[in-house]
Amino acid sequence: MSDYVSASAIKDLLTECPICTEHFDEVRRTPRRMPCCVQSICQACLETYSKGLPTLSCPMCRHQHNLAGGVKSLPKEPIILRLLDHLKIVKGLHLPCTDCPDGNPAMSRCDDCGVFLCQECLNAHKRVKSMQDHQTVSFKEMKKQPGKSFKRHHKCAQHDQPLQFYCYTCEKIVCVSCTVVDHKEGNGHNVVSVNEAHQKKAKSIDDTLVKLRQKAERLEEIKQGLKERHSNIQVSKHAAVVDINKAFDELIDEIQQRRAILLSDVEGRSSKILKLTQEELDSTSNILAKVTSSIKYTRQMRSKADMIEDLQRMGSSAATLSAMLEMSPKASLVRAGVSFASTCFNKITPLLKMAGLVKSVVFSPKENSSEDDDLNDAITIEHEYVPQAAYMTGQPLGVKGSLAYADLEWDSSIASDDLTVSGPVVTNGKQEHLPPRTGCRQLSPRTVLTSTPLVIRPGQTIMYGMEVTYSVITPADNNKIIFEATLTGSPFDAYKLQTTGLSVLFVTCAADNGICLKVYYNGLYLSDDNLTLNESGTPYSLDLGFVLEEETHKVHVLDLSQQKLVTSVTPFPFDKPLWVMINFGSHPNTHLTCKLSSQKGRNMHDEIERLIHE
């Protein structure tokens, strides 16, 4: 909760201190005007806050003041003191006679002298010849009058004369004697009447109050915007937590399923070889049992037989015993077992350490934005270090002259909500279930960035590709943008084209009533080429390739469908992460799909090498 005291907490009746809510008085709780926030605070509270030191932090706005004379050097608030006197009269409280030495209670007031009078002093006042025409009002009559009609006489503290003039040079209200002595016009002082000064000052203050009212309205809008931002951050935090848990729960499910498959495979394979081994074991056991029993039985029989019986027995059993010598178990295996190899774990484990990316997405007004720009916000995306292995495939990185391929995906968490995003594929159809409104989403229609930036390091050549499929529903007029693909280190959210980095556009053009491919770099036109006819109902597909060469500081734009180089941009800075961004244009009557894929580039590796180096 804020430590500041809200101005709205001050009561309409300006007789209470906004800090302690005690009534002001002229003794201990004298109202002192704060020059920083034009509020009045009682002297007791100010002394408590200052702790007797010459420095004071305003209890209302925390502005620091250096008060050499202490709290008492702050001016009293005469308006509140006047209201206090009127309040005492209205409530019938004791108000002493101004000039009475006995301190009798006052009963009336002289408007001309500005003094309170008891009954005796009132009688004496009326008897003085010079005061007989003075207007006196009883407290009973004053109770019926508004507080504003209750006036005090303002006199010069130096000359005891009415304050009737204002010195602009010194910014001070003075009396007639002051204009002759210390504020003489001949000495360069600009002195005017109080009425004239009041009119000019009132107009100036009224103008300032109007501007302050306008500022208050703007601040209220900013406040509401900050509240909305605070709410959006909370929503985005919750959404990020939900997305992380969902992604890792799904990953854990996949791992659990894979574990179950492997365990089932272990069970199946082990059962198979166990069955074979068991069959061999059973066969061996049977033969062993037959042999051992035959040996034992034959020995026993021979021990009981005479020579003739033994000879007869041996003759009849010799062939059977000899046949047993030839018996052997079926040997299908020598050694057997089931093993597990952690195949690909050396690849999966590092990838798991890089799985997912938490980003803070900040939209801030772009420098030199025009007041006419409804939306022109720079996008700042902060994230942890992104290893290239997280999205690179193909040739080894860091090998001079090698061509690596970037497998990128679109970031559905910051895409505008009029697109349907699924991994590397995005279409311009609105989602059935809109994602939560968080502060991360782009407001410009039909716009999305990749989930990770491209980081180009010394000596590297990297390629990424896009498969763009479009079908015109109703042909548009000339110079209507159908599609924009951007490579930039400084993306921004706006209702217009990206002006920083490389932009490749599909634009309706007058030539042959067609759709042209135009290329811009930092807002400057580079090239254009005819693509297709601007006709309804016919689907077209274009494979774009982008090759980034750090060594030559070049970016090559390729039409992989026609196997040709569209243009090359040089010098292109690779000193910071580069974001791939697309916009599906302002023309709604087109079906569009864009898929991030480098497969065609892989299939055309040698051809691409020839195109960019030819």
Side-chain angles (χ1 to χ4, degrees):
M1 184 176 291
S2 173
D3 292 332
Y4 291 81
V5 179
S6 172
S8 63
I10 302 174
K11 294 186 177 181
D12 293 336
L13 190 62
L14 300 174
T15 56
E16 291 183 357
C17 173
I19 304 301
C20 65
T21 68
E22 295 288 341
H23 280 285
F24 290 117
D25 57 43
E26 295 185 11
V27 183
R28 184 169 179 268
R29 298 195 180 277
T30 306
R32 299 285 178 178
R33 184 190 303 163
M34 300 302 297
C36 51
C37 56
V38 300
Q39 303 292 339
S40 295
I41 301 172
C42 78
Q43 183 174 313
C45 285
L46 293 176
E47 288 173 344
T48 300
Y49 272 81
S50 67
K51 299 178 181 179
L53 300 174
T55 57
L56 171 66
S57 175
C58 175
M60 299 292 288
C61 67
R62 299 297 184 263
H63 184 81
Q64 293 292 328
H65 296 275
N66 292 316
L67 304 174
V71 170
K72 291 183 179 180
S73 64
L74 291 170
K76 295 181 180 180
E77 182 52 80
I79 299 174
I80 292 179
L81 293 174
R82 176 170 58 81
L83 290 174
L84 286 174
D85 287 343
H86 183 261
L87 189 61
K88 289 178 182 178
I89 295 171
V90 171
K91 292 188 175 183
L93 301 177
H94 175 76
L95 194 62
C97 179
T98 304
D99 297 325
C100 181
D102 299 329
N104 293 329
M107 306 293 292
S108 60
R109 181 177 184 274
C110 177
D111 285 343
D112 293 279
C113 299
V115 295
F116 296 110
L117 302 169
C118 64
Q119 189 61 51
E120 293 180 9
C121 291
L122 175 61
N123 295 334
H125 196 79
K126 290 181 177 180
R127 292 182 63 187
V128 178
K129 192 173 182 178
S130 61
M131 300 179 182
Q132 288 180 352
D133 59 346
H134 283 202
Q135 182 71 31
T136 59
V137 185
S138 69
F139 283 2
K140 185 176 181 180
E141 293 174 324
M142 291 180 66
K143 288 181 180 181
K144 302 175 183 178
Q145 297 176 356
K148 191 172 182 181
S149 65
F150 182 72
K151 299 180 181 178
R152 279 190 171 190
H153 281 262
H154 304 283
K155 292 185 178 182
C156 176
Q158 184 177 357
H159 302 109
D160 197 31
Q161 293 183 347
L163 298 174
Q164 298 174 317
F165 299 93
Y166 182 80
C167 178
Y168 273 105
T169 307
C170 302
E171 295 186 345
K172 188 176 181 181
I173 305 173
V174 297
C175 67
V176 65
S177 296
C178 291
T179 63
V180 177
V181 183
D182 298 323
H183 301 272
K184 194 174 182 179
E185 290 197 55
N187 294 335
H189 289 261
N190 180 16
V191 180
V192 299
S193 69
V194 166
N195 287 338
E196 181 181 344
H198 181 267
Q199 289 178 2
K200 291 183 178 179
K201 287 282 185 179
K203 185 179 184 307
S204 176
I205 288 295
D206 287 342
D207 291 342
T208 301
L209 290 176
V210 170
K211 293 177 181 177
L212 286 174
R213 179 69 262 167
Q214 294 171 347
K215 182 174 183 177
E217 292 173 356
R218 292 195 299 270
L219 289 173
E220 182 62 31
E221 291 179 0
I222 293 173
K223 178 182 176 181
Q224 295 304 320
L226 290 172
K227 284 185 175 180
E228 183 179 357
R229 184 200 300 177
H230 187 277
S231 174
N232 286 342
I233 292 172
Q234 294 293 346
V235 171
S236 67
K237 173 186 174 182
H238 179 264
V241 170
V242 170
D243 290 344
I244 289 172
N245 287 332
K246 180 182 177 183
F248 278 87
D249 286 345
E250 291 175 352
L251 185 60
I252 291 171
D253 287 343
E254 292 289 338
I255 293 174
Q256 296 283 26
Q257 290 178 27
R258 181 58 182 165
R259 179 169 68 175
I261 291 172
L262 292 174
L263 291 175
S264 176
D265 201 14
V266 166
E267 189 65 31
R269 293 181 182 278
S270 61
S271 296
K272 182 178 180 180
I273 57 178
L274 280 172
K275 180 180 179 182
L276 293 174
T277 303
Q278 187 64 46
E279 289 176 352
E280 291 183 27
L281 178 60
D282 293 343
S283 175
T284 302
S285 297
N286 291 334
I287 294 174
L288 176 61
K290 185 174 184 179
V291 170
T292 54
S293 64
S294 297
I295 293 172
K296 183 177 180 181
Y297 184 79
T298 300
R299 288 185 185 279
Q300 288 178 346
M301 292 296 292
R302 289 188 66 194
S303 66
K304 303 295 182 180
D306 56 24
M307 185 179 297
I308 297 298
E309 291 173 337
D310 188 28
L311 182 61
Q312 290 175 337
R313 181 72 184 176
M314 287 189 293
S316 62
S317 61
T320 301
L321 294 175
S322 297
M324 289 185 189
L325 291 176
E326 301 299 325
M327 294 175 64
S328 62
K330 183 180 180 182
S332 60
L333 303 174
V334 177
R335 288 187 302 276
V338 177
S339 70
F340 169 71
S342 54
T343 308
C344 297
F345 271 50
N346 61 335
K347 297 179 181 179
I348 295 172
T349 304
L351 285 175
L352 281 175
K353 293 179 180 179
M354 298 181 289
L357 184 66
V358 176
K359 299 173 285 187
S360 58
V361 186
V362 178
F363 299 87
S364 54
K366 195 176 180 185
E367 294 181 4
N368 303 322
S369 294
S370 168
E371 293 184 358
D372 297 332
D373 291 333
D374 293 332
L375 181 65
N376 193 21
D377 297 333
I379 306 175
T380 303
I381 303 176
E382 297 179 355
H383 50 81
E384 63 180 2
Y385 175 76
V386 182
Q388 286 184 327
Y391 57 81
M392 288 298 176
T393 59
Q395 298 296 323
L397 291 171
V399 179
K400 187 175 180 179
S402 65
L403 179 60
Y405 300 95
D407 289 328
L408 302 172
E409 292 187 351
W410 300 116
D411 190 348
S412 60
S413 67
I414 62 175
S416 55
D417 55 17
D418 50 4
L419 294 176
T420 299
V421 181
S422 177
V425 181
V426 58
T427 61
N428 62 345
K430 200 164 187 176
Q431 304 179 54
E432 292 184 7
H433 304 288
L434 292 178
R437 293 289 296 177
T438 69
C440 300
R441 294 202 172 277
Q442 294 173 259
L443 297 180
S444 53
R446 299 173 291 281
T447 306
V448 64
L449 286 88
T450 48
S451 57
T452 54
L454 290 170
V455 181
I456 315 300
R457 298 192 172 91
Q460 292 182 350
T461 302
I462 293 175
M463 176 189 171
Y464 67 93
M466 292 182 183
E467 298 176 9
V468 184
T469 303
Y470 59 97
S471 175
V472 176
I473 301 173
T474 304
D477 297 333
N478 294 332
N479 295 320
K480 295 294 183 181
I481 297 171
I482 294 177
F483 175 80
E484 176 190 19
T486 306
L487 177 67
T488 178
S490 304
F492 63 93
D493 193 20
Y495 297 131
K496 59 183 179 181
L497 298 178
Q498 299 290 313
T499 56
T500 303
L502 173 70
S503 291
V504 177
L505 308 173
F506 293 7
V507 185
T508 58
C509 53
D512 298 324
N513 187 32
I515 296 175
C516 300
L517 179 70
K518 294 189 176 184
V519 182
Y520 290 81
Y521 178 55
N522 289 338
L524 300 177
Y525 165 80
L526 292 182
S527 66
D528 67 74
D529 195 5
N530 289 333
L531 286 178
T532 59
L533 293 176
N534 183 14
E535 58 185 5
S536 61
T538 305
Y540 295 101
S541 182
L542 179 66
D543 288 291
L544 291 173
F546 300 84
V547 179
L548 288 60
E549 285 188 304
E550 190 281 330
E551 187 175 16
T552 60
H553 290 278
K554 287 184 178 181
V555 174
H556 306 282
V557 182
L558 305 172
D559 181 348
L560 300 179
S561 303
Q562 300 296 323
Q563 297 188 13
K564 69 177 183 179
L565 177 68
V566 176
T567 190
S568 296
V569 179
T570 186
F572 197 97
F574 297 119
D575 56 340
K576 59 182 178 180
L578 298 172
W579 293 93
V580 179
M581 181 177 183
I582 60 170
N583 178 276
F584 277 8
S586 58
H587 184 48
N589 292 326
T590 306
H591 290 306
L592 273 164
T593 299
C594 180
K595 179 182 180 182
L596 286 165
S597 175
S598 296
Q599 185 58 48
K600 192 155 190 173
R602 293 188 185 94
N603 298 338
M604 296 173 56
H605 180 88
D606 295 339
E607 185 65 20
I608 290 173
E609 292 279 2
R610 182 188 66 79
L611 288 173
I612 63 177
H613 295 121
E614 191 173 59

